[in-house]
Amino acid sequence: MKGTVFNIQRYAIHDGPGIRTTVFLKGCPLKCYWCHNPEGIKEEVEIIFRMEGRCLNCGDCQDACPQKALKREDGLLLIDEKKCCKCGNCVTVCPTGALEMVGQKMTAKELLNEIEKDSIFYEQSGGGVTFSGGEPFFQPEFLAKVLKLLKERSIHVALDTAGQAPWEHISELLQYVDLFLYDIKHLNPQKHEKGTGLSNELILGNLEKLAGSGVHIIGRFPLIPGFNDEEENIFKTGKYLNTLHINQVHILPFHGLARGKYKDSASLFKEIVSPTAGDVEKTREIFASCGLKTRIGG
Ligand code: SF4
Ligand code: SF4
C-alpha cells in the first residue's frame, strides 16, 4: 500500500517545535478559495503545466507523449487527464521545467527513510515531523502506517489538519500524535461553506472531541481579508478556543505567493488583498484579549 506525497520540506521551523521535516500528503475534501497549495487538493498524482513564460513551444513534450494526451490551444498546453498515464516522459524531456509532476507514490517505509535522514536535527532541536497537505486525514490508512513507525522510533509528530474527517480516523491515531495544529477558518457554518465548499459542523465537532481527549492542540487561524477578518468573528473564535481550554493560536496571514498557481480568470484568489501589518496586529490583540498565547505565522 502506497501513499501520495507531494512535498517533503526539510529544516522547517514553523510547523511545530524545533527543526522539523514537513510532509505534505495529497488530497483534501475542502476547496478553500485562498488555498496556498492547490496542487495538494486532488489525491492523485498530477502533471501541471506551469507556463509562466517558461515554455519555448518546442513541442518536445507532445512528441514524447505515448498517449497523445497533450495539445496546444490558445498558447496553453492542455493535458487530457483521461488519456494521461502519468508516465512523466513530458516532464523529463521538457528543457525548461515548464511541466511538473506533482505527487509521488511512496510506501510508509520509504517515507520513513526520508524522514529519518534528519533525525539528528530532531534530537538536537526538540523537533520532529509534521504532516500537512492537502489534508493528512484524507489518506487515513497510509497515515496510520507511518505514524506507527514513527512512534516506534520515538519521533515527535505534529499533525496540521483542517479536521474535516470522520472522527474514527482521528481517534484511532490519537496515541501516535504529540501535537495537533488545528485550523479554524470561520465559526459561522454558512460562511465556512461559502469559503471552503463545506460547513464547519464536522470540523468543530471533531475539535470539541479532540479537546476533551486532553491531547495538545494549537489553534490555527488563516487570516483572510473579506472572509474571516471581522473583529466579531475573531473575538468569537478566540473565546471558543478558550472554552475548549486551547491556550495558543497561530495567526497565518494570507499572502499572494501562490498567485501564479491560479490560472483560471474566475478564481477568487486573485481578488484577495493581503492584510496589512496593522490588520495582523489587531487580530493578534483580539486573540490575546481572549487569554490566548499568540504567534504570527506557524
Ligand atoms: S505524463 Fe506521460 S502520458 Fe501524461 S502527458 Fe506526460 S507524457 Fe503524456
Ligand atoms: S517541452 Fe516544455 S518547453 Fe517544450 S513545448 Fe513542452 S512544455 Fe513547452
Side-chain angles (χ1 to χ4, degrees), residues 8-15 18-22 117-122 128:
I8 298 175
Q9 210 169 67
R10 300 182 184 284
Y11 317 120
I13 51 165
H14 297 297
D15 297 323
I19 297 174
R20 314 191 69 80
T21 296
T22 304
K117 285 179 186 168
D118 293 326
S119 288
I120 184 80
F121 296 109
Y122 314 148

Side-chain angles (χ1 to χ4, degrees), residues 188-247:
N188 179 297
Q190 288 80 31
K191 289 191 177 168
H192 192 279
E193 183 165 358
K194 206 166 172 210
T196 70
L198 290 174
S199 163
N200 58 9
E201 208 177 319
L202 180 64
I203 292 168
L204 299 186
N206 283 339
L207 179 58
E208 286 156 27
K209 288 178 192 157
L210 202 54
S213 76
V215 69
H216 185 196
I217 305 169
I218 295 176
R220 285 196 148 186
F221 182 75
L223 176 61
I224 315 297
F227 173 66
N228 61 5
D229 60 337
E230 313 100 334
E231 288 189 22
E232 190 192 354
N233 177 57
I234 298 166
F235 186 72
K236 277 187 182 168
T237 304
K239 284 289 173 198
Y240 175 70
L241 290 174
N242 210 294
T243 58
L244 296 178
H245 304 292
I246 296 169
N247 62 10

Side-chain angles (χ1 to χ4, degrees), residues 67-85:
Q67 303 293 115
K68 303 282 172 247
L70 294 166
K71 70 172 177 182
R72 193 165 285 280
E73 226 172 72
D74 299 330
L76 281 177
L77 191 65
L78 303 181
I79 303 166
D80 186 332
E81 291 293 338
K82 290 199 186 99
K83 288 185 183 169
C84 175
C85 63

Side-chain angles (χ1 to χ4, degrees), residues 4 16 45 71 80 105 178 183 187 213 225 245 248 251 270 291:
T4 312
V45 173
K71 70 172 177 182
D80 186 332
K105 295 278 182 190
D178 300 289
D183 279 13
L187 280 192
S213 76
H245 304 292
Q248 198 174 354
I251 300 158
K270 293 181 177 161

Side-chain angles (χ1 to χ4, degrees), residues 49 55-61 72 77 94-96 98-99:
F49 180 48
C55 180
L56 304 173
N57 203 1
C58 65
D60 287 359
C61 51
R72 193 165 285 280
L77 191 65
C94 177
T96 64
L99 285 162

Side-chain angles (χ1 to χ4, degrees), residues 1-8 23-27 39-40 42-46 102-108 111 132-136 138-139 142-143:
M1 183 237 203
K2 293 188 175 186
T4 312
V5 176
F6 74 97
N7 196 4
I8 298 175
V23 176
F24 294 81
L25 297 183
K26 215 158 157 11
E39 70 275 33
K42 285 189 193 165
E43 190 183 0
E44 61 271 20
V45 173
E46 290 173 86
V102 179
Q104 59 173 315
K105 295 278 182 190
M106 300 179 92
T107 63
L111 179 55
S132 184
E135 165 56 58
F138 207 70
Q139 300 185 49
F142 177 68
L143 182 64

